[in-house]
Amino acid sequence: MSEKINEQELLAVLAAESKADPQQIRLVLKHEQDFLASAKANSKGEVDIDMDDLVDYITGRRDVKLDELTVETILEAEMDYLMDKGLAGYID
């Protein structure tokens, strides 16, 4: 994760939003990073991620014990957090 992100704060926000176990949230974030690392950037350096593909990838990991809705809630809450901090945004 980026130096600009307070990991403890992010985990607290995601846990409050999703009601999931912080250990499972960490796994979701780890697998999300793995997925993003393998994604291809376009000519502008932007990476377009399909949320359904990402959720399927994460829920397909053996160590993730959360359902699709919870994983999606975690990812959406993370995106809201990152957008509030000015660290991410959606491509139109």
Side-chain angles (χ1 to χ4, degrees):
M1 282 192 213
S2 168
E3 308 261 39
K4 297 178 183 176
I5 298 173
N6 179 330
E7 187 177 352
Q8 291 303 99
E9 179 183 58
L10 175 61
L11 281 172
V13 168
L14 300 182
E17 208 48 50
S18 68
K19 309 293 187 248
D21 174 19
Q23 283 302 108
Q24 285 293 303
I25 293 171
R26 281 190 183 93
L27 283 174
V28 167
L29 297 178
K30 176 185 134 350
H31 290 307
E32 176 192 27
Q33 289 304 314
D34 294 345
F35 184 88
L36 294 175
S38 67
K40 303 283 186 253
N42 65 18
S43 61
K44 297 177 188 172
E46 301 166 332
V47 178
D48 186 20
I49 301 297
D50 182 277
M51 178 68 110
D52 293 333
D53 291 344
L54 177 56
V55 171
D56 289 346
Y57 175 83
I58 293 170
T59 56
R61 305 301 81 159
R62 292 181 187 195
D63 54 351
V64 176
K65 307 294 184 215
L66 302 172
D67 59 51
E68 285 185 22
L69 182 59
T70 304
V71 170
E72 199 168 304
T73 299
I74 291 167
L75 296 173
E76 288 173 356
E78 178 195 25
M79 188 62 168
D80 290 344
Y81 175 88
L82 294 174
M83 286 175 31
D84 288 347
K85 298 291 183 185
L87 300 173
Y90 289 104
I91 299 172
D92 292 329

